[in-house]
Amino acid sequence: MRILNPDRRRDTEDGFTLVELMVVIVILGLLAAIVVINVVPFGDKARIVKAKSDIATIESALNAYQLSMGSFPSTSDGLNALITPPAGLSDPSQYQKGGYIKKLEKDPWGHPYLYASPGQHGAFDVWSLGADGKEGGEGADADIGSWQ
């Protein structure tokens, strides 16, 4: 009968072989590639949805401004009129304390939102030029406006 001694080391060490480790690394790489291929296209869609949401928020702030001030900010005053009172107000007490929007965000691609009053599509237009920052385009490069 052989007595097992816990202090005695085995003749072979337990562990993973290089081949086993390489197989696991290859499998993880394949899984990561599948995830990237399926998730990356949703980034552009999410940015477009975010831009539309931002424009809707700006529209609400512009409507609140118009209700208290009697007109929309001029194109020259721009969207900054929603944060700070424009220069030359006839009655500054009409301007809502704290402004009409907390912060004027840039579009998801890092460009400022554009504003015109009167707009080509309504009383005012608010829009983003999309990912390329140029007029027109398709997909993520397409313009996103308040009239859409």
Side-chain angles (χ1 to χ4, degrees):
M1 177 167 112
R2 184 173 179 196
I3 299 175
L4 297 175
N5 183 354
D7 295 331
R8 187 175 155 207
R9 292 201 177 251
R10 289 191 200 174
D11 292 336
T12 61
E13 294 288 326
D14 289 335
F16 297 106
T17 65
L18 182 60
V19 172
E20 291 170 329
L21 289 173
M22 293 300 290
V23 168
V24 170
I25 290 172
V26 167
I27 291 172
L28 289 175
L30 289 172
L31 289 174
I34 290 169
V35 168
V36 167
I37 288 170
N38 289 321
V39 171
V40 168
F42 290 111
D44 288 336
K45 290 178 186 176
R47 287 184 186 93
I48 291 168
V49 169
K50 169 86 166 82
K52 287 180 181 180
S53 174
D54 287 349
I55 289 171
T57 301
I58 293 169
E59 283 180 296
S60 295
L62 285 166
N63 287 324
Y65 180 97
Q66 191 269 338
L67 285 173
S68 66
M69 303 300 292
S71 64
F72 293 107
S74 66
T75 301
S76 61
D77 290 336
L79 295 174
N80 287 327
L82 299 175
I83 299 171
T84 57
L89 282 179
S90 58
D91 186 7
S93 65
Q94 285 181 313
Y95 192 85
Q96 180 175 304
K97 184 178 179 181
Y100 297 88
I101 194 169
K102 288 184 179 184
K103 184 179 177 186
L104 196 56
E105 299 283 338
K106 291 190 175 191
D107 72 11
W109 301 278
H111 306 111
Y113 286 100
L114 303 173
Y115 170 74
S117 177
Q120 293 179 353
H121 305 280
F124 63 85
D125 291 343
V126 179
W127 72 98
S128 166
L129 295 175
D132 63 356
K134 300 175 186 173
E135 287 192 30
E138 294 180 13
D141 294 336
D143 298 348
I144 302 164
S146 56
W147 57 90
Q148 297 171 331

